[in-house]
């Protein structure tokens, strides 16, 4: 539906949050730890999309490995979808390599799924869908 956010790998949120607040002239509206991914995240609104800063909290996290290999920088592009399971099925049928079989819980109240960068011209792609709560 749209680019929901760009994920940027950073070494330290403490220094990158004020840097991006000054750059974007806005305040960070949320920080959140995602234990399952081994990351601390910080979010900024930029029009209809967001910037997500990602700091590793574990030696072997995807972000730690990425920074060790490539340094800080753009880590992934996240596209919002309205039916993540249908989209995962469609892309899998087309031969894209999904990194998880089922949607998993990500930051900022989303269900997410990653596609392997080897199947998408070297870019890590995330699908994300707003998690709806039913009572
Ligand atoms: N973008 C582009 N290429 C990437 C990449 C990225 N973000 N991360 C790794 N790669 C490349 C590596 O450079 C490597 O390329 P070469 O084979 O040419 O050297 C290749 O992908 C495989 O990398 P690897 O080091 O062998 O494998 P990793 O163990 O680092 O795993 C990946 C890579 C993408 C499968 C893993 O990082 C992953 O599962 N990512 C999805 C989850 C994730 O990224 N979570 C953090 C964000 C969570 C959040 O947004 O909340």
């Amino acid at each position: 539906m749209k680019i929901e956010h760009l994920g940027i790998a950073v070494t330290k949120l403490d220094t990158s949050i004020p840097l991006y607040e000054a750059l974007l002239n806005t305040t960070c509206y949320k920080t959140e730890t995602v234990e399952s991914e081994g990351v601390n995240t910080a979010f900024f609104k930029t029009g209809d999309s967001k910037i997500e800063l990602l700091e590793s909290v574990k030696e072997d996290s995807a972000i730690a490995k990425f920074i060790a290999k490539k340094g800080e920088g753009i880590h992934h592009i996240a596209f919002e979808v309205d039916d993540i399971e249908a989209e995962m099925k469609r892309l899998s049928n087309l031969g894209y390599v999904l990194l998880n079989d089922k949607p998993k819980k990500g930051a900022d109240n989303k269900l997410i799924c990653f596609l392997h960068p080897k199947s998408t011209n070297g870019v890590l792609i995330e699908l994300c869908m707003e998690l709806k709560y039913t009572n």
Side-chain angles (χ1 to χ4, degrees):
M1 287 151 55
K2 66 174 188 188
I3 293 178
E4 210 279 335
H5 65 266
L6 291 182
I8 300 178
V10 303
T11 307
K12 282 217 114 339
L13 283 185
D14 280 354
T15 48
S16 293
I17 288 175
L19 186 97
Y20 273 82
E21 286 184 331
L23 176 76
L24 301 170
N25 199 17
T26 188
T27 49
C28 167
Y29 72 90
K30 183 189 235 184
T31 58
E32 186 179 345
T33 299
V34 185
E35 297 282 351
S36 55
E37 299 291 327
V39 293
N40 288 330
T41 64
F43 286 91
F44 304 82
K45 293 205 167 93
T46 52
D48 275 351
S49 300
K50 298 165 189 163
I51 296 292
E52 176 188 30
L53 300 182
L54 298 141
E55 167 196 72
S56 174
V57 292
K58 281 200 309 192
E59 261 176 38
D60 61 344
S61 71
I63 296 302
K65 283 188 185 174
F66 178 86
I67 289 179
K69 198 162 182 179
K70 300 182 192 245
E72 295 182 303
I74 294 183
H75 178 258
H76 65 263
I77 301 177
F79 293 101
E80 183 167 37
V81 298
D82 59 2
D83 182 343
I84 194 164
E85 301 215 14
E87 211 45 36
M88 287 168 67
K89 199 167 171 190
R90 184 182 76 80
L91 294 171
S92 174
N93 286 341
L94 288 171
Y96 294 90
V97 179
L98 306 188
L99 287 168
N100 39 298
D101 297 339
K102 293 191 170 148
K104 56 183 180 177
K105 174 90 174 65
D108 208 22
N109 196 40
K110 296 282 187 293
L111 281 177
I112 63 172
C113 174
F114 285 93
L115 308 186
H116 200 289
K118 290 283 175 199
S119 67
T120 48
N121 295 134
V123 178
L124 180 62
I125 303 282
E126 177 186 332
L127 308 178
C128 66
M129 182 178 87
E130 188 79 12
L131 195 55
K132 295 175 187 95
Y133 291 103
T134 49
N135 288 322

